[in-house]
Amino acid sequence: MAMWKLTAIQVVILGSLFLQNVCGRRDPEMACGACKALVDEIDYAIKQVDPREMIDVGSFRVLPDGSQKQTKVPYATSEVHLMEVLETVCEKMKDYALSTDPANQRKTYIRFNNREGENEPKELSHISISAEVSSRLRHACEEVADDHEEEIIHLFTNKQNNIHYKLCGHHAELCHDLVEVPLRDEL
């Protein structure tokens, strides 16, 4: 009986190591593509909100003098709005496809469907539209969003520049081909 327990424990350990190695392996190109697409989709969602729309943030607690410490911030880049966007942003990965550069076989993920109000034609050469790729990209997007939620919110609420680099290249370390673009003042 003791031999059986030892074997069962070994099977569980080996099985979990196998699953970690096979299922847990992250495709670096897909993770990078998901991160870039996530940033693009959040940025687009922010731009769809009226910039004049404001929201009260701060404490709703009444202070001893009867006042409340609240400030108005733009709703588009508020933590509330960004949390709402993060809940559904990865669903947009269904509009992305795998694009392979024939010269160097480099894989990227591009949006193949126009957004509402966009009428310009998309360049659709060298792409592969697949439900499997969209599903895997969505899963990678959800991982990025879950693992880096605080940093995403911080970057967008503080209206940072070069978010692709700061999130995908520097913070999440998913895109090694991104470089920091200096601001005009730094040139």
Side-chain angles (χ1 to χ4, degrees):
M1 190 65 159
M3 180 79 136
W4 169 252
K5 286 183 182 177
L6 183 61
T7 305
I9 291 172
Q10 288 173 336
V11 168
V12 169
I13 291 171
L14 289 174
S16 68
L17 289 174
F18 174 77
L19 286 175
Q20 267 184 334
N21 286 332
V22 172
C23 300
R25 237 183 233 147
R26 188 182 274 184
D27 177 352
E29 291 170 332
M30 182 164 288
C32 176
C35 188
K36 289 176 179 178
L38 173 74
V39 171
D40 289 342
E41 293 298 329
I42 293 171
D43 189 51
Y44 179 78
I46 288 170
K47 290 177 180 171
Q48 298 311 297
V49 176
D50 182 352
R52 296 172 293 184
E53 189 175 347
M54 304 296 271
I55 185 172
D56 289 323
V57 296
S59 174
F60 288 96
R61 204 171 92 195
V62 178
L63 299 174
D65 66 355
S67 66
Q68 293 177 321
K69 187 175 180 180
Q70 293 181 328
T71 56
K72 288 193 179 292
V73 297
Y75 174 72
T77 55
S78 70
E79 189 171 337
V80 170
H81 181 241
L82 291 170
M83 292 295 288
E84 290 172 358
V85 169
L86 279 173
E87 287 178 19
T88 60
V89 70
C90 293
E91 293 171 13
K92 307 269 190 293
M93 297 304 117
K94 71 182 183 307
D95 295 329
Y96 284 79
L98 174 64
S99 174
T100 306
D101 185 336
N104 60 15
Q105 299 303 306
R106 185 168 175 256
K107 296 177 185 176
T108 56
Y109 296 88
I110 62 167
R111 187 174 234 293
F112 67 87
N113 273 339
N114 282 336
R115 293 182 176 110
E116 191 174 312
E118 289 181 339
N119 295 324
E120 61 193 51
K122 298 277 186 185
E123 176 65 40
L124 299 178
S125 60
H126 308 292
I127 70 163
S128 171
I129 300 171
S130 152
E132 179 187 344
V133 168
S134 295
S135 175
R136 290 178 55 222
L137 191 63
R138 179 181 175 167
H139 179 70
C141 174
E142 289 168 348
E143 282 185 16
V144 172
D146 289 343
D147 293 348
H148 305 286
E149 181 178 315
E150 288 179 21
E151 185 67 14
I152 293 167
I153 291 172
H154 170 76
L155 290 169
F156 280 100
T157 56
N158 292 309
K159 299 177 182 110
Q160 296 288 311
N161 292 315
N162 206 4
I163 293 179
H164 285 99
Y165 168 77
K166 288 180 180 173
L167 178 65
C168 305
H170 179 70
H171 181 76
E173 297 178 349
L174 297 172
C175 301
H176 303 289
D177 63 333
L178 293 175
V179 294
E180 185 169 16
V181 178
L183 300 175
R184 293 208 184 277
D185 296 345
E186 296 174 356
L187 294 176

